[in-house]
Amino acid sequence: MSTPPLRRSELATPATNERMFAKAAASDADLVFLDLEDAVAPALREEARGKAVRALNDFDWGTTTRAVRINSIHTEWAYGDIIEVVEGARENLDTLIVPKATAARDVWWVDVLLTQIEERIGLGKRIRLEVLIEDVAGVAHAEEIATASDRLDAVIFGAGDLSVSQGARVDTNFRPREPYPGDFWYYARMRVLTAARIAGIAAIDAPYPDFRDPEGYEQDARAAASLGFNGKWAIHPSQIETANRVFRPTDAEIERARRNLAAYRAAEADGLGATSVDGQLVDAAHVKLAEQVLGAAGPHVSRGK
């Protein structure tokens, strides 16, 4: 199973807000997506496509993954979003984000259309996909959605629309209005996370709408990271640093992973299947955990010998 790409932070940027493009391109987000869906008024969604294409073509995005969130495939805009954005941006587009996926067929539909466009225009790369699971049907079919296409890099837990689909009584940060014992979204989060792990792709946590509450955002991020999520949406640039920090292993975790790997390799060279570090067992399971930690730390982190 390959290591999922770094997706610690995914910054949402409305495709109609041209003043935000330069700042988004220069940000430290692992991925920036230009939004054609919920952040855009219906009357402006077709016009927003051209603005997204110009932003992708005209700005230097550095190493940031360049993405566009299309409209749901159940709307009148989806096919036009895909055709106009892919044909307009070409190699300057890395990923499409598909919202409100309810079944594998939703991903399949986008995959087939992308394949046809790529072949027709002779695109020299494959456009990747990320999928939002934000509906009760999507939660129920999370595994089949996550494994529907080899284009998929991540599945994203969306609490906002899921609140509506579920009929949940929550506040504007999608937290329960009444006292609730534990994580209100634990079941849905774990369905999304489990599906991602089965598919060998990243799992991204939901946005936190109140960007003036950094403590609340960090609390949400730490809870998701503890479960195993790879990153979290940011609806404001001020949230990027927190996401990058929370979803990156600490220096102590990285150092421990390196030591465990080095000790295990040395033991392995002596014909042993396990060893100890600081009085604690290190076996094959700990090696896998160490490799996962170092993978999450980024490609610049050495795994040692």
Side-chain angles (χ1 to χ4, degrees):
M1 183 179 296
S2 61
T3 301
L6 284 182
R7 291 290 184 268
R8 300 164 302 178
S9 53
E10 296 201 350
L11 176 64
T13 304
T16 49
N17 195 334
E18 296 172 277
R19 294 175 301 171
M20 298 178 66
F21 293 163
K23 188 171 185 178
S27 76
D28 291 326
D30 289 333
L31 177 147
V32 173
F33 69 90
L34 304 172
D35 192 8
L36 299 177
E37 196 211 16
D38 286 350
V40 178
L44 299 177
R45 290 185 182 181
E46 292 185 13
E47 176 187 336
R49 297 170 187 158
K51 293 182 177 181
V53 168
R54 288 191 292 276
L56 293 169
N57 291 339
D58 294 347
F59 289 92
D60 179 4
W61 294 84
T63 60
T64 299
T65 298
R66 303 157 295 183
V68 170
R69 176 165 70 162
I70 64 171
N71 284 280
S72 165
I73 70 161
H74 305 289
T75 69
E76 64 188 87
W77 299 290
Y79 80 97
D81 290 347
I82 298 170
I83 293 170
E84 187 169 338
V85 170
V86 174
E87 292 188 352
R90 296 182 176 243
E91 280 80 4
N92 293 324
L93 173 69
D94 300 312
T95 300
L96 288 179
I97 297 178
V98 183
K100 300 177 176 63
T102 59
R105 67 177 182 271
D106 299 347
V107 183
W108 176 87
W109 185 87
V110 177
D111 192 339
V112 169
L113 182 53
L114 272 176
T115 299
Q116 293 173 352
I117 297 170
E118 289 166 349
E119 290 177 354
R120 190 180 72 81
I121 67 176
L123 192 63
K125 62 187 285 186
R126 289 186 87 209
I127 303 299
R128 308 298 300 169
L129 293 177
E130 296 192 5
V131 176
L132 269 157
I133 295 178
E134 49 184 340
D135 177 277
V136 291
V139 171
H141 302 142
E143 181 180 341
E144 68 178 65
I145 291 170
T147 57
S149 169
D150 63 1
R151 292 182 187 266
L152 274 169
D153 283 332
V155 287
I156 306 159
F157 166 57
D161 282 284
L162 181 58
S163 298
V164 178
S165 178
Q166 183 174 309
R169 301 178 69 177
V170 295
D171 61 21
T172 54
N173 281 321
F174 315 130
R175 289 179 168 180
R177 293 188 178 276
E178 302 297 331
Y180 187 85
D183 179 1
F184 185 76
W185 294 113
Y186 180 78
Y187 173 76
R189 277 192 168 110
M190 286 306 298
R191 286 297 299 256
V192 171
L193 177 63
T194 301
R197 292 297 170 263
I198 290 170
I201 60 180
I204 311 302
D205 193 41
Y208 188 83
D210 188 355
F211 60 86
R212 296 164 299 181
D213 178 18
E215 292 80 11
Y217 181 84
E218 181 159 346
Q219 182 182 36
D220 254 25
R222 289 192 177 280
S226 294
L227 289 175
F229 276 78
N230 301 89
K232 187 172 180 64
W233 266 17
I235 58 106
H236 190 274
S238 64
Q239 296 176 331
I240 295 171
E241 185 279 330
T242 300
N244 286 348
R245 171 169 45 82
V246 168
F247 289 97
R248 180 186 186 276
T250 65
D251 291 342
E253 289 172 326
I254 293 170
E255 180 58 26
R256 177 72 188 202
R258 285 172 169 160
R259 291 178 63 203
N260 283 357
L261 272 179
Y264 184 85
R265 298 305 180 207
E268 193 175 41
D270 291 335
L272 302 175
T275 186
S276 65
V277 174
D278 298 335
Q280 297 182 12
L281 174 71
V282 175
D283 61 11
H286 295 91
V287 168
K288 294 175 184 177
L289 180 61
E291 290 174 339
Q292 184 179 70
V293 167
L294 296 175
H300 63 286
V301 174
S302 170
R303 281 162 170 73
K305 301 298 182 184

